[in-house]
Amino acid sequence: EGAVSEDVRMLQKFLNQQAFFVAKEGPGSVGNETNVFGEKTKTALARFQLVHDIRPALGYFGPLTRKYINSLGQ
């Protein structure tokens, strides 16, 4: 948590496109993605991991999650 990077914005856009919404409105919502990795991003990522059987599904963007997302060709 707390990371600030354009990679975070790309992750939020990806999660939103996959219907694992970071936020319904405001910062992190569709079209309002931010470059800050906070609790909402972590929660959305954990939901994504859980559905795609990436364990542990704790909302960390580690090697298993990176590998899975890269395999999607995004």
Side-chain angles (χ1 to χ4, degrees):
E1 278 180 78
V4 177
S5 149
E6 282 305 306
D7 290 341
V8 176
R9 188 183 318 273
M10 297 304 295
L11 175 60
Q12 288 184 1
K13 286 182 179 185
F14 171 80
L15 291 168
N16 286 339
Q17 290 167 355
Q18 298 292 312
F20 294 92
F21 300 105
V22 175
K24 291 181 182 179
E25 58 186 16
S29 63
V30 175
N32 294 304
E33 291 88 358
T34 74
N35 63 352
V36 178
F37 192 103
E39 193 61 36
K40 291 179 181 180
T41 306
K42 183 178 176 182
T43 300
L45 185 56
R47 289 193 318 266
F48 174 86
Q49 292 168 329
L50 190 63
V51 167
H52 294 288
D53 203 29
I54 301 168
R55 302 287 190 259
L58 300 175
Y60 297 109
F61 193 64
L64 293 176
T65 305
R66 281 188 184 92
K67 182 178 177 182
Y68 182 85
I69 290 174
N70 287 337
S71 77
L72 299 176
Q74 296 287 325

